[in-house]
Amino acid sequence: MFLSDCKPGQTAVIVRVNGDGPVAQRLMELGLVEGARLRVLRVAPLGDPMQLEIQNYCLSLRKSEARAVEVRF
């Protein structure tokens, strides 16, 4: 399952960040690494952007970025 499929209030654990370009690198620098636990706080009405809590801070991601993050519950 991808992070972009998660609903507000759901918690998940990151399985992997797909890709090897600068976007994937930036996501990992922001703390989106394998094993990190996150919680989806809000999703905009059209699904973009979404706000999540990870490692005690809030982060907003575009839907296209969230599609690169595989998660499990």
Side-chain angles (χ1 to χ4, degrees):
M1 175 174 222
F2 294 97
L3 178 57
S4 59
D5 300 325
C6 292
K7 306 291 183 218
Q10 286 185 314
T11 59
V13 176
I14 296 174
V15 175
R16 127 181 24 147
V17 176
N18 295 318
D20 56 358
V23 173
Q25 181 67 35
R26 182 68 178 144
L27 292 175
M28 289 188 276
E29 289 172 354
L30 291 170
L32 297 165
V33 294
E34 182 179 338
R37 180 171 294 278
L38 59 87
R39 183 168 60 108
V40 177
L41 299 176
R42 298 182 188 96
V43 178
L46 297 177
D48 195 17
M50 65 187 318
Q51 184 179 29
L52 53 104
E53 181 180 27
I54 183 167
Q55 298 179 2
N56 296 322
Y57 74 95
C58 293
L59 177 67
S60 292
L61 292 181
R62 295 181 183 108
K63 195 173 188 175
S64 61
E65 296 165 339
R67 278 191 211 116
V69 181
E70 289 186 43
V71 297
R72 64 177 165 78
F73 296 105

